[in-house]
Amino acid sequence: MLILGIETSCDETAAAVVENGQTVVSSAVFSSLSQHVKTGGIIPEVAARRQIESIIPVIEGVLKIAKLKIDNLDAISVTYGPGLIGSLLVGVETAKTLSLVWNKPLVPVNHLVAHIYANWIDAKIMPKFAAVALVVSGGHTDFVLMKNHGEIKYLGGTRDDAAGEAFDKTARLLGLPYPGGPAISAAAEKFEILNSKSELNLFPRPMLDSDNLDMSFSGLKTAVLNFIKKQSNNLTIEQLSAEIQEAIVDTLVAKSIKAVEKYKPKSFLLAGVVSANKRLREKITQALKGKAKVFIPDPKYTTDNAAMIASAAYSNYQPVPWQKVIANPSLSIEE
Ligand code: KG4
Ligand code: ZN
């Protein structure tokens, strides 16, 4: 089954053709991120304008690369939320129009759930159920239990800032550029703390003793700010970055261990843009060894892409008449 995926929830305009939810025939992503670096964050109106300019060329591009006739396409899938409303509307309205004009079934896809399906793309071994997934991005940090495709239960997550947001806000305090995650990660890598056991544990890892899967990252920026103000021992940006990264990663890893011990899943699926973080990938793999089979997407499918949208649509194939597909910026992971 060949599904065209369309993704426009934020600053990426993406399209892909995926066969049977797994094999990527063609995939393209245009990102307007470089324009948002100047403003230190995404301006929704700017992102939406770039979406409008890019959507048709990106879709035309993937169909051309796939050497596909429209007749051979079985369905269209599109992210309908969560995300920025202006950006979402571009993908949703395009997909609805194509569904009508090409007479193809239309499958609306939850963006957060789709991130989890990045683990099925090009996979040599398929994840088995039950699975615990951790979706971690700039706007979300959620644990879910997946008993099967389409059976998703929210288990816990951040009560305030998302992990990616914590990277972004603390990076700004250190004078590092947006997005903060890659900047902190690159600076941290230069610091040898990563190869030694001499970490200082400067910053808090809140809620580790709580008996649930909830987390809190909003105190980190205050702790970093206070530390910078008081600092007398002149730690380098690299060391502070390593400390920040360790605090965020340790929290995510500790709660992942808790989730796996409680629900005893066959698979643990890391997902979302922050799953690109090398330190998180290493530490989570190490920590869950022997407890659950750990799946982490190929780095090229951790960022927003449309292959994951088509993959999620294949495994949760529920077409909806195009008239009923409506963008929902505040869609939750369980909907
Ligand atoms: O904006 P966002 O939520 O995109 C979607 O998921 O749609 O995800 C981008 C977030 C930013 O907060 C960024 O700092 C973070 O992901 N991020 C990272 C890394 N790459 C991106 N955080 C840590 N390590 C990375 N390598
Ligand atoms: Zn995303």
Side-chain angles (χ1 to χ4, degrees), residues 7-28:
E7 154 63 40
T8 66
S9 65
C10 192
D11 56 331
E12 272 89 20
T13 314
V17 177
V18 178
E19 189 170 13
N20 297 334
Q22 240 191 300
T23 310
V24 179
V25 180
S26 64
S27 173

Side-chain angles (χ1 to χ4, degrees), residues 10 111 115 137-139 164-165 167-168 178-182 185 273-274 276-277 304:
C10 192
H111 178 86
H115 267 300
S137 71
E165 200 177 350
F167 274 111
D168 295 337
Y178 176 86
S185 173
V273 185
V274 178
N277 186 279
D304 287 352

Side-chain angles (χ1 to χ4, degrees), residues 78-263:
V78 65
T79 298
Y80 75 108
L84 304 171
I85 185 63
S87 289
L88 282 171
L89 278 172
V90 175
V92 167
E93 293 308 312
T94 305
K96 287 164 77 165
T97 307
L98 294 179
S99 168
L100 172 69
V101 174
W102 292 347
N103 192 25
K104 302 285 175 192
L106 179 59
V107 183
V109 170
N110 181 317
H111 178 86
L112 298 172
V113 173
H115 267 300
I116 301 173
Y117 279 88
N119 285 296
W120 270 263
I121 300 171
D122 294 340
K124 291 188 182 70
I125 305 168
M126 291 300 133
K128 286 194 182 130
F129 295 115
V132 163
L134 169 60
V135 182
V136 60
S137 71
H140 296 266
T141 307
D142 297 332
F143 280 106
V144 294
L145 179 65
M146 273 177 99
K147 287 204 175 146
N148 209 330
H149 295 297
E151 280 183 52
I152 290 187
K153 189 176 157 235
Y154 177 79
L155 301 177
T158 185
R159 292 194 175 169
D160 39 58
D161 291 354
E165 200 177 350
F167 274 111
D168 295 337
K169 287 178 176 171
T170 52
R172 193 187 267 256
L173 295 174
L174 299 187
L176 293 171
Y178 176 86
I184 287 198
S185 173
E189 244 177 72
K190 292 189 189 143
F191 187 68
E192 60 185 21
I193 194 174
L194 297 185
N195 302 317
S196 73
K197 295 236 183 302
S198 61
E199 36 188 277
L200 297 171
N201 269 308
L202 280 183
F203 301 124
R205 285 118 165 104
M207 300 188 70
L208 290 196
D209 295 331
S210 69
D211 196 28
N212 55 35
L213 298 176
D214 287 349
M215 291 163 278
S216 167
F217 290 105
S218 67
L220 184 61
K221 58 181 184 293
T222 319
V224 172
L225 183 64
N226 289 340
F227 185 83
I228 294 172
K229 274 190 195 153
K230 279 193 222 138
Q231 192 193 140
S232 51
N233 49 352
N234 288 325
L235 298 191
T236 60
I237 298 286
E238 285 75 20
Q239 181 164 3
L240 286 170
S241 295
E243 291 285 353
I244 290 166
Q245 179 169 256
E246 289 308 287
I248 296 171
V249 168
D250 282 353
T251 307
L252 295 170
V253 169
K255 290 288 176 169
S256 299
I257 295 172
K258 209 166 245 183
V260 165
E261 286 176 347
K262 184 161 180 195
Y263 294 96

